[in-house]
Amino acid sequence: MTAPLASVLFVCVHNAGRSQMAAGFLDHLAGDRIEVRSAGSIPGDQVNPAAVEAMAEVGVDISDRKPKVLTTEAVRASDYVITMGCGDACPVFPGKKYLDWALEDPAGQGVDAVRPIRDEIRTLIEGLVAEIDAQRRA
């Protein structure tokens, strides 16, 4: 098996909505080509049920995922660190590519409010996959 093209870490506060949807899309769209992690600065107890439902509507199952705490090891092991509203809670290491995606927090919202966030995340993920693929071909 070949090594992944890149490793991506998605970080939000609770690791229950945005970062889980992003990780689900990246797993779905890139398969084994890109290593995927997600974590939260203050992880929640479970993945947001509205996020699970919204993702299931587009054929991506994130129902078995669990929020995880953000560790410096996870950041150190990643090529890309994509933050989603965790502010200064994310450790910064040289040599990593940091992106901040300003996405609305789906916490406490129903599936109708989560769908546009999900769709925005998918668009961002598609761009990220294209960027990683282009860099590896360059």
Side-chain angles (χ1 to χ4, degrees):
M1 186 173 122
T2 59
L5 297 176
S7 177
V8 177
L9 171 65
F10 296 103
V11 183
C12 66
V13 176
H14 300 296
N15 188 220
R18 296 165 289 188
S19 57
Q20 293 286 358
M21 289 191 287
F25 270 133
L26 188 54
D27 276 337
H28 182 72
L29 295 171
D32 293 341
R33 293 182 311 145
I34 299 172
E35 184 178 20
V36 181
R37 296 181 181 86
S38 71
S41 50
I42 309 168
D45 297 328
Q46 66 178 23
V47 175
N48 179 338
V52 172
E53 183 180 341
M55 293 298 286
E57 290 175 355
V58 294
V60 180
D61 182 7
I62 62 169
S63 63
D64 62 342
R65 308 216 174 193
K66 304 274 183 263
K68 292 177 278 312
V69 70
L70 176 64
T71 64
T72 54
E73 292 76 28
V75 176
R76 202 174 275 129
S78 302
D79 301 309
Y80 288 78
V81 178
I82 300 175
T83 57
M84 304 170 175
C86 70
D88 297 331
C90 301
V92 176
F93 292 100
K96 308 290 175 200
K97 177 154 188 177
Y98 288 88
L99 301 171
D100 186 54
W101 292 353
L103 296 160
E104 190 178 337
D105 187 350
Q109 301 197 58
V111 72
D112 289 340
V114 174
R115 284 185 191 112
I117 301 167
R118 173 203 64 201
D119 295 343
E120 187 177 354
I121 289 171
R122 182 181 188 121
T123 299
L124 290 165
I125 293 295
E126 288 169 346
L128 177 67
V129 170
E131 176 184 321
I132 290 171
D133 284 343
Q135 283 184 346
R136 297 307 177 206
R137 283 194 296 268

